[in-house]
Amino acid sequence: MIDLYTAATPNGHKVSIALEELGLPYTLKVIDLTAGEQRTPAFLAINPNGRIPAIVDREADDFAVFESGACLIYLAEKTGRLMPSDTKGRSRVLQWLMFQMGGIGPMMGQANVFFRYFPEKIPAAIDRYQGECKRLFRVLDGHLQHHEYLAGDYSIADIANWAWVRTHRWSGVEIDDLPHLKRWRDAIRQRAAVQRGIEQPPSKVDLTRDGDEGARRFSEEALTMVETGRGAA
């Protein structure tokens, strides 16, 4: 049994999607980020960095894993699925996983902060991060022109990148001119395990579209976490 400590963020949904795809039994433990539960001693004992997601493998002497990418690798290696075992195949998956961890996630996160959360709009910052998001999306689109998935078969690399790319409108970046990325996004969205995973837990606001009053409140809560250093993931 896996305990999943998480919240409704792209990083959180990466791990819940993987657990659903792998069919591993897990217990969902939702962390209230606005209440600061990620800073409690109990959670810091699992992840000293105070970020979600994290997992605890009860079948492996309560072994704790933090950082979303590390969680994905652990689950793939535990089950022998969603990542090849051969050296080259494994490397291809890890390359695209690191592309998300070092590029897509951080750049979209900063675009969210400056475009969506900060009340003072700083055009240079917004342009910088949205521009870099679009550049990274073009990299994905170019690769997917010749590949169904990012690294051979469907893998944790696809899960990691998809969980962020699906929220591109929240970052203020459109992908209508990137047909191969759109094809990949839509195909993965149809997977039953993916549909279950993005509901574990469900988000307070639909991050795949521009919003309404609920989106405004969500943005205000996110701004408070940014300003107080209680980032979500």
Side-chain angles (χ1 to χ4, degrees), residues 41-103:
F43 186 71
L44 290 173
I46 296 168
N47 181 0
N49 194 36
R51 296 288 189 273
I52 62 91
I55 59 175
V56 175
D57 189 347
R58 298 302 180 189
E59 296 177 350
D61 300 320
D62 295 345
F63 184 68
V65 184
F66 64 91
E67 289 295 324
S68 58
C71 292
L72 292 177
I73 294 168
Y74 179 83
L75 293 172
E77 292 182 337
K78 176 182 175 70
T79 59
R81 295 172 56 199
L82 295 178
M83 184 169 64
S85 58
D86 67 285
T87 300
K88 290 181 179 178
R90 184 176 186 275
S91 177
R92 291 187 186 99
V93 169
L94 293 181
Q95 288 172 54
W96 286 106
L97 175 61
M98 296 306 119
F99 177 86
Q100 185 277 306
M101 298 292 294

Side-chain angles (χ1 to χ4, degrees), residues 5 47 66 83 104 127 146 160 162 183 187 197 223 225 230 233:
Y5 295 82
N47 181 0
F66 64 91
M83 184 169 64
I104 292 285
D127 290 348
H146 305 290
W162 183 87
R183 183 270 306 163
L223 175 61
M225 287 191 290
R230 299 203 317 257

Side-chain angles (χ1 to χ4, degrees), residues 8-184:
T9 73
N11 280 342
H13 284 151
K14 283 153 61 172
V15 180
S16 56
I17 290 170
L19 286 165
E20 291 289 342
E21 289 280 11
L22 294 167
L24 288 172
Y26 67 98
T27 300
L28 188 69
K29 297 182 179 294
V30 180
I31 301 298
D32 187 340
L33 302 175
T34 59
E37 289 182 358
Q38 69 275 32
R39 295 297 188 189
T40 63
F43 186 71
L44 290 173
I46 296 168
N47 181 0
N49 194 36
R51 296 288 189 273
I52 62 91
I55 59 175
V56 175
D57 189 347
R58 298 302 180 189
E59 296 177 350
D61 300 320
D62 295 345
F63 184 68
V65 184
F66 64 91
E67 289 295 324
S68 58
C71 292
L72 292 177
I73 294 168
Y74 179 83
L75 293 172
E77 292 182 337
K78 176 182 175 70
T79 59
R81 295 172 56 199
L82 295 178
M83 184 169 64
S85 58
D86 67 285
T87 300
K88 290 181 179 178
R90 184 176 186 275
S91 177
R92 291 187 186 99
V93 169
L94 293 181
Q95 288 172 54
W96 286 106
L97 175 61
M98 296 306 119
F99 177 86
Q100 185 277 306
M101 298 292 294
I104 292 285
M107 293 301 103
M108 291 186 71
Q110 291 301 315
N112 292 346
V113 168
F114 288 102
F115 172 71
R116 185 70 62 174
Y117 303 147
F118 273 11
E120 178 187 357
K121 302 308 177 187
I122 306 172
I126 294 171
D127 290 348
R128 186 269 186 275
Y129 290 112
Q130 288 183 338
E132 181 63 5
C133 289
K134 190 63 179 250
R135 186 191 71 80
L136 294 168
F137 290 168
R138 290 193 187 101
V139 173
L140 290 172
D141 185 71
H143 182 72
L144 290 166
Q145 181 177 1
H146 305 290
H147 301 84
E148 182 178 8
Y149 297 112
L150 290 176
D153 294 333
Y154 177 73
S155 71
I156 57 173
D158 297 288
I159 292 171
N161 281 277
W162 183 87
W164 276 94
V165 170
R166 69 180 284 265
T167 69
H168 64 91
R169 288 194 180 93
W170 194 251
S171 302
V173 182
E174 288 299 331
I175 63 171
D176 290 341
D177 59 336
L178 303 175
H180 312 294
L181 184 61
K182 287 179 63 180
R183 183 270 306 163
W184 170 86

